[in-house]
């Protein structure tokens, strides 16, 4: 059995930042890739909880999503950690 996952628009926005990472070979940018994956899933979870509480339009929800995206941008703009294989 496979799980069907539909990312939220906010989670997808975070995940699109992967295009800025070095994915040219395995493990080139694994730490930052993992961080973006976790933030993308966090954005998805936040949206699901806010939707269940009918809070998608709230300032608190928008602020939390903005903070997630800001952290994702900070990660992408940070220097890549040194790859011992290079």
């Amino acid at each position: 059995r496979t799980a069907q996952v539909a990312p939220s628009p906010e989670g997808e926005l975070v995940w699109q930042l992967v295009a800025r990472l070095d994915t040219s070979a395995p493990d080139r940018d694994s730490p930052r890739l993992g961080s973006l994956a976790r933030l993308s899933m966090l954005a998805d979870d936040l949206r699901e909880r806010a939707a269940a509480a009918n809070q998608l339009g709230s300032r608190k929800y928008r602020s939390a999503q903005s903070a997630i995206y800001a952290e994702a941008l900070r990660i992408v703009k940070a220097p890549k950690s040194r790859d011992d294989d290079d």
Side-chain angles (χ1 to χ4, degrees):
R1 198 175 348 176
T2 59
Q4 298 296 321
V5 178
S8 67
E10 297 87 353
E12 183 65 31
L13 189 63
V14 169
W15 189 246
Q16 288 175 1
L17 295 174
V18 168
R20 298 186 190 182
L21 303 181
D22 181 1
T23 58
S24 63
D27 297 330
R28 290 283 179 189
D29 222 343
S30 292
R32 295 191 307 166
L33 183 62
S35 294
L36 288 183
R38 285 186 293 278
L39 287 171
S40 177
M41 290 183 276
L42 182 62
D44 293 343
D45 291 344
L46 179 61
R47 182 176 181 88
E48 187 175 323
R49 288 192 313 267
N54 199 27
Q55 294 294 312
L56 289 176
S58 74
R59 178 174 290 159
K60 182 178 177 182
Y61 169 73
R62 290 190 316 267
S63 177
Q65 286 290 9
S66 291
I68 291 170
Y69 190 73
E71 178 64 11
L73 283 174
R74 187 193 67 74
I75 289 167
V76 168
K77 291 177 180 179
K80 181 179 129 180
S81 54
R82 187 175 177 285
D83 185 352
D84 292 333
D85 293 338
D86 288 342

